Amino acid sequence: MESIMDAVKKMEGYGQLKKEYDRIKQHVLTDPYVISFLEQNPDLNQSSIEKGLTKLYEYSKEKNHCSNCPGLNLCPNLMQGYQPELAADRNAIEIYYEKCSLKKQDEKQKSMSALIRSYFIPKDILQASFDRLHSIDQDRREAIGAAWDFVKAASSGEGAKGIYFYGKFGVGKTYLLGAIANALAERQIPSLLVHTPEFLREMKSSLSDGSFNEKMELLKTVPVLMLDDLGAENMTNWVRDEIIGVILQYRMMERLPTLYSSNYDFTLLEEHFSYSQKGGLEQAKAKRIMERIRHLAVPIFIGGDKNFRTFQ
């Protein structure tokens, strides 16, 4: 009885097919990646190599894709973001896939982004890092050092005290908060960074859509809260007493660190909080708010004559 192989050999085109197979086999077995694998596994015999030729071909093709990587989004591999590896198991060739460095970096970035919540903060601020602050002038080094000390204290569970960064417009206060948020995320510490004026306007509108309590709970309980541009909001009794005051009181009682940025020093901020819609000043209420801020944060002045954006 004629064997299947003998029958196949008689089929029209078999010769061309065999020629193409031999060409591919030669190409695979002369691939530097495949040669390296075979040299590391000298126990593999010819029969094992023949049986594993399909896996060697896949490995060669995918590995060369990786060596000419076009970027994670354009990855042509069967499993985007995964690179092939070979193993010799009981004289048989096996192929498996592992995440490449770009895939790991992308997942890390997404994981970090999930740890940083923000409202009305520019995208470039959410990509801020301490690595880009090494060339900043001396006037800002104290603030950078204090920021890094906060990250270390928060990471060690020492009960870090917050910071009140203040200075004129453009000295890098918001960027520094962004760098802190990213450094905390690398250490798996969640934070919330909000542009205070815009967020307070949203809080007012959230009374009608039913999300007010949820947002208040978030600001009160997030492990690290950062209030950017405090003092630039339109001050009302409701904002001062029912929003800022309630949030800070809770965080003071629970010893949750809060960081701030502002154009005002403590004296000017107290004047801002003393504003009353009814006319006159409500200094006692303003002092109560300031007591909570002073209790929660150390004031750090950020100087510098040049606009921070010239350093980026």
Side-chain angles (χ1 to χ4, degrees), residues 202-310:
E202 182 175 288
M203 290 295 287
K204 185 175 181 180
S205 64
S206 69
L207 289 169
S208 58
D209 65 24
S211 63
F212 177 83
N213 289 335
E214 179 183 350
K215 290 173 181 173
M216 279 293 288
E217 189 67 15
L218 174 61
L219 267 73
K220 288 183 347 185
T221 61
V222 67
V224 178
L225 174 64
M226 304 182 196
L227 297 176
D228 180 45
D229 212 9
L230 185 66
E233 68 279 350
N234 292 322
M235 184 51 56
T236 67
N237 295 5
W238 179 76
V239 164
R240 181 192 62 206
D241 302 332
E242 302 301 325
I243 303 295
I244 298 176
V246 170
I247 291 169
L248 297 187
Q249 177 65 22
Y250 181 93
R251 298 188 67 80
M252 183 176 69
M253 297 298 293
E254 296 298 321
R255 299 183 180 180
L256 295 171
T258 307
L259 294 93
Y260 313 81
S261 78
S262 179
N263 294 336
Y264 294 159
D265 60 18
F266 278 172
T267 300
L268 290 176
L269 187 65
E270 184 170 331
E271 291 181 12
H272 174 70
F273 283 136
S274 67
Y275 168 81
S276 173
Q277 291 172 290
K278 300 175 183 179
L281 299 175
E282 294 185 332
Q283 294 177 333
K285 292 184 177 181
K287 288 183 180 297
R288 191 175 299 120
I289 294 288
M290 291 306 302
E291 178 185 349
R292 295 164 187 165
I293 293 177
R294 287 189 175 96
H295 182 82
L296 291 168
V298 176
I300 299 290
F301 175 69
I302 302 183
D305 294 329
K306 293 183 179 180
N307 190 300
F308 174 76
R309 291 166 181 79
T310 63

Side-chain angles (χ1 to χ4, degrees), residues 1-15:
M1 176 181 285
E2 185 179 43
S3 69
I4 295 177
M5 181 54 67
D6 290 336
V8 169
K9 289 179 179 179
K10 294 179 180 179
M11 292 176 61
E12 185 178 353
Y14 171 77

Side-chain angles (χ1 to χ4, degrees), residues 12-289:
E12 185 178 353
Y14 171 77
Q16 184 61 34
L17 183 63
K18 178 67 165 55
K19 185 177 179 180
E20 180 64 16
Y21 172 83
D22 290 339
R23 186 192 68 78
I24 293 174
K25 177 181 176 180
Q26 177 67 14
H27 177 76
V28 169
L29 295 180
T30 55
D31 182 278
Y33 294 115
V34 174
I35 291 174
S36 176
F37 169 74
L38 294 177
E39 288 177 347
Q40 294 171 23
N41 296 273
D43 293 337
L44 288 171
N45 56 38
Q46 192 61 36
S47 175
S48 298
I49 294 173
E50 287 285 349
K51 291 178 180 177
L53 191 61
T54 300
K55 293 172 182 176
L56 291 175
Y57 171 76
E58 180 182 334
Y59 174 75
S60 172
K61 181 180 178 182
E62 301 281 274
K63 196 73 173 178
N64 280 282
H65 285 164
C66 292
S67 66
N68 298 286
C69 177
L72 183 60
N73 292 334
L74 297 176
C75 175
N77 282 2
L78 293 173
M79 298 175 62
Q80 191 176 64
Y82 287 78
Q83 58 188 15
E85 299 294 342
L86 289 175
D89 183 22
R90 298 179 183 179
N91 211 34
I93 297 173
E94 300 294 343
I95 187 170
Y96 62 96
Y97 284 82
E98 292 185 341
K99 296 174 184 176
C100 70
S101 59
L102 293 181
K103 180 69 173 178
K104 291 177 181 177
Q105 182 180 350
D106 181 66
E107 289 184 347
K108 179 181 179 181
Q109 187 61 47
K110 288 178 179 177
S111 175
M112 286 176 56
S113 298
L115 290 169
I116 304 173
R117 301 186 66 170
S118 65
Y119 286 96
F120 310 106
I121 298 296
K123 289 184 178 180
D124 61 325
I125 297 300
L126 297 179
Q127 298 173 355
S129 71
F130 281 97
D131 291 341
R132 298 180 63 188
L133 295 173
H134 60 85
S135 63
I136 298 303
D137 57 6
Q138 190 62 39
D139 289 323
R140 283 166 256 219
R141 291 198 181 280
E142 180 188 1
I144 296 170
W148 184 245
D149 287 342
F150 171 83
V151 171
K152 291 190 293 184
S155 303
S156 64
E158 296 176 1
K161 192 169 185 177
I163 306 173
Y164 182 88
F165 294 115
Y166 68 99
K168 62 184 181 182
F169 174 80
V171 294
K173 302 184 296 293
T174 304
Y175 189 93
L176 197 50
L177 292 181
I180 292 172
N182 278 306
L184 291 174
E186 289 178 354
R187 293 155 177 79
Q188 301 299 302
I189 300 174
S191 66
L192 172 63
L193 174 55
V194 302
H195 182 248
T196 308
E198 292 292 340
F199 186 75
L200 289 173
R201 277 193 283 272
E202 182 175 288
M203 290 295 287
K204 185 175 181 180
S205 64
S206 69
L207 289 169
S208 58
D209 65 24
S211 63
F212 177 83
N213 289 335
E214 179 183 350
K215 290 173 181 173
M216 279 293 288
E217 189 67 15
L218 174 61
L219 267 73
K220 288 183 347 185
T221 61
V222 67
V224 178
L225 174 64
M226 304 182 196
L227 297 176
D228 180 45
D229 212 9
L230 185 66
E233 68 279 350
N234 292 322
M235 184 51 56
T236 67
N237 295 5
W238 179 76
V239 164
R240 181 192 62 206
D241 302 332
E242 302 301 325
I243 303 295
I244 298 176
V246 170
I247 291 169
L248 297 187
Q249 177 65 22
Y250 181 93
R251 298 188 67 80
M252 183 176 69
M253 297 298 293
E254 296 298 321
R255 299 183 180 180
L256 295 171
T258 307
L259 294 93
Y260 313 81
S261 78
S262 179
N263 294 336
Y264 294 159
D265 60 18
F266 278 172
T267 300
L268 290 176
L269 187 65
E270 184 170 331
E271 291 181 12
H272 174 70
F273 283 136
S274 67
Y275 168 81
S276 173
Q277 291 172 290
K278 300 175 183 179
L281 299 175
E282 294 185 332
Q283 294 177 333
K285 292 184 177 181
K287 288 183 180 297
R288 191 175 299 120
I289 294 288

